[in-house]
């Protein structure tokens, strides 16, 4: 059974997922500091939610940057 038949998306390599998680945790910590709070003020479920949302945000940013680079290499002007 192939990935297309099973309906699952291909997973990122473990190293990439780990780097993405580390970047998301660093950004969440920075956001908490800017908000004038501490990590102790959040419970684990809230922190996991914040990190997951930041991972999605980082991933979507990577996707658009990759699209821009491919467009640039193909000579397409998309206004970036």
């Amino acid at each position: 059974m192939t990935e297309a038949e099973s309906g699952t998306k291909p997973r990122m390599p473990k190293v990439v997922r780990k780097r993405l998680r580390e970047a998301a945790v660093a950004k969440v910590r920075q956001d908490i500091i800017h908000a004038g709070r501490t990590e102790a003020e959040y419970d684990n479920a809230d922190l996991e939610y914040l990190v997951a949302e930041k991972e999605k945000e980082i991933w979507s940013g990577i996707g658009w940057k990759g699209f821009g680079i491919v467009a640039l290499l193909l000579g397409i002007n998309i206004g970036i």
Side-chain angles (χ1 to χ4, degrees):
M1 182 185 297
T2 64
E3 289 180 22
E5 292 172 351
S6 66
T8 61
K9 295 189 315 186
R11 293 184 57 123
M12 292 184 288
K14 194 172 192 174
V15 174
V16 174
R17 289 193 318 255
K18 183 178 178 185
R19 295 274 316 251
L20 184 68
R21 171 62 60 134
E22 290 171 355
V25 168
K27 292 213 179 251
V28 167
R29 283 187 176 145
Q30 184 179 15
D31 291 346
I32 289 172
I33 290 169
H34 286 301
R37 301 178 77 178
T38 64
E39 286 183 43
E41 295 178 30
Y42 296 92
D43 61 354
N44 286 339
D46 290 337
L47 289 173
E48 281 296 320
Y49 176 78
L50 292 171
V51 170
E53 288 298 313
K54 193 59 74 171
E55 284 178 345
K56 290 178 189 175
E57 183 181 312
I58 292 170
W59 183 246
S60 68
I62 290 171
W64 278 106
K65 288 176 189 170
F67 175 74
I69 291 171
V70 169
L72 181 66
L73 292 174
L74 294 174
I76 301 169
N77 184 3
I78 57 173
I80 295 181

